[in-house]
Amino acid sequence: MKKNKFFILITTFNRPSKIKRHLKNFNNKHWSQLKNCKPIIIIADDYPGGKLKNLCRIYKKKIKYFNLVYLQRKKTLGQGINFFDVVKRNISNGYIWPVGDDDFLLPRQSVDFINKIIKFTPDVAVCEFRQGKKNSSGTFFKGKSRMIFDVAKGLEFIQRFGKCTSIVFKRPSNKLIFKAERMFLGCMYEDRPLTVISFLCSQKPSLYLKTELTATADKDFGTLK
């Protein structure tokens, strides 16, 4: 696997303001500290006829530290199908960081997170994520950031607080992706079985744990839309 194969996958439905916030954030100068990696951002738009296409076209020219790919569905697929379709058709290998469209990546810590993944090449990685009033809910990882080689501990960290933005995984084989799709499509946490598969199917499972706060949820989390 080439070191620079790193994808940030954002599936979305009719949330142009949230995506615009992501795109503005990806233009932050702190991303210039990425080493040996120019991640590919994939915006998988599940809202046919929406306004994101032009917005992504504009930011494709602005963003310096990433390659931006925009995908628009001809018909609404649903979050799970949209997610699996991108993984199957648009990503052949590399790391995948599924990021919620209403979440926010903290640039400094996110850069460090990606750089450490490229450096240590774990099978999966997890980062500190918080949401809710005063960030009262989240992963709450303890200790220093570190590599984990204990399978039981790794699985516990993967399942800690099921928010997609807290995990990164290596793309499994097509056979395993199709199996996961048959078994878990519609569970609303499709990223988790793929992460577990990527972890457990390695000859020597390894996980990078980043304990510094790396991402948060939108401020309006938990309120009625």
Side-chain angles (χ1 to χ4, degrees):
M1 181 184 68
K2 294 181 180 180
K3 285 186 176 182
N4 62 351
K5 284 289 186 178
F6 194 102
F7 298 83
I8 296 175
L9 171 55
I10 304 175
T11 57
T12 188
F13 179 84
N14 197 22
R15 283 180 164 179
S17 63
K18 308 295 185 187
I19 298 302
K20 184 175 182 179
R21 184 180 62 174
H22 270 302
L23 295 175
K24 289 177 67 176
N25 184 38
F26 287 132
N27 215 24
N28 188 293
K29 65 179 181 180
H30 292 301
W31 296 102
S32 66
Q33 300 302 311
L34 287 168
K35 299 177 181 178
N36 302 317
C37 181
K38 188 174 184 179
I40 299 171
I41 302 166
I42 298 180
I43 307 294
D45 186 3
D46 205 27
Y47 185 57
K51 301 178 180 179
L52 280 183
K53 186 174 183 179
N54 288 334
L55 179 66
C56 289
R57 182 184 292 119
I58 292 170
Y59 273 90
K60 187 178 181 68
K61 298 176 181 179
K62 290 184 177 182
I63 293 176
K64 301 177 181 178
Y65 316 114
F66 302 87
N67 291 314
L68 177 61
V69 176
Y70 172 76
L71 303 174
Q72 187 174 42
R73 302 305 181 189
K74 294 181 179 179
K75 65 176 182 179
T76 300
L77 301 178
Q79 189 277 331
I81 299 176
N82 189 15
F83 173 77
F84 269 112
D85 190 77
V86 176
V87 173
K88 290 186 299 182
R89 297 177 184 273
N90 301 99
I91 300 174
S92 60
N93 63 79
Y95 286 104
I96 302 173
W97 189 357
V99 173
D101 60 0
D102 56 351
D103 292 340
F104 186 81
L105 302 182
L106 304 178
R108 287 181 183 272
Q109 295 299 341
S110 295
V111 165
D112 179 70
F113 188 42
I114 294 173
N115 284 343
K116 292 296 173 53
I117 291 171
I118 298 301
K119 179 179 179 180
F120 297 130
T121 64
D123 297 298
V124 303
V126 295
C127 66
E128 180 67 15
F129 175 90
R130 298 286 182 90
Q131 68 182 25
K133 188 176 181 180
K134 296 182 180 180
N135 287 335
S136 58
S137 300
T139 50
F140 292 98
F141 296 125
K142 303 295 184 182
K144 295 182 178 180
S145 297
R146 59 199 183 273
M147 288 291 293
I148 302 292
F149 299 98
D150 181 275
V151 173
K153 289 182 179 179
L155 290 173
E156 193 278 325
F157 292 143
I158 290 170
Q159 65 85 33
R160 179 88 65 89
F161 199 78
K163 184 69 175 183
C164 63
T165 309
S166 67
I167 58 98
V168 173
F169 61 92
K170 282 183 182 178
R171 184 195 189 276
S173 68
N174 288 333
K175 181 179 179 180
L176 292 174
I177 290 172
F178 283 116
K179 186 171 184 178
E181 186 176 30
R182 289 195 303 270
M183 296 179 67
F184 297 102
L185 182 63
C187 73
M188 296 297 292
Y189 298 94
E190 285 87 358
D191 54 286
R192 296 291 150 163
L194 287 180
T195 305
V196 171
I197 287 170
S198 184
F199 184 62
L200 292 181
C201 288
S202 173
Q203 291 184 345
K204 296 181 178 180
S206 61
L207 177 147
Y208 177 67
L209 175 68
K210 180 170 175 57
T211 57
E212 296 88 0
L213 183 62
T214 305
T216 62
D218 198 354
K219 292 181 180 180
D220 61 5
F221 165 79
T223 61
L224 291 175
K225 303 294 187 291

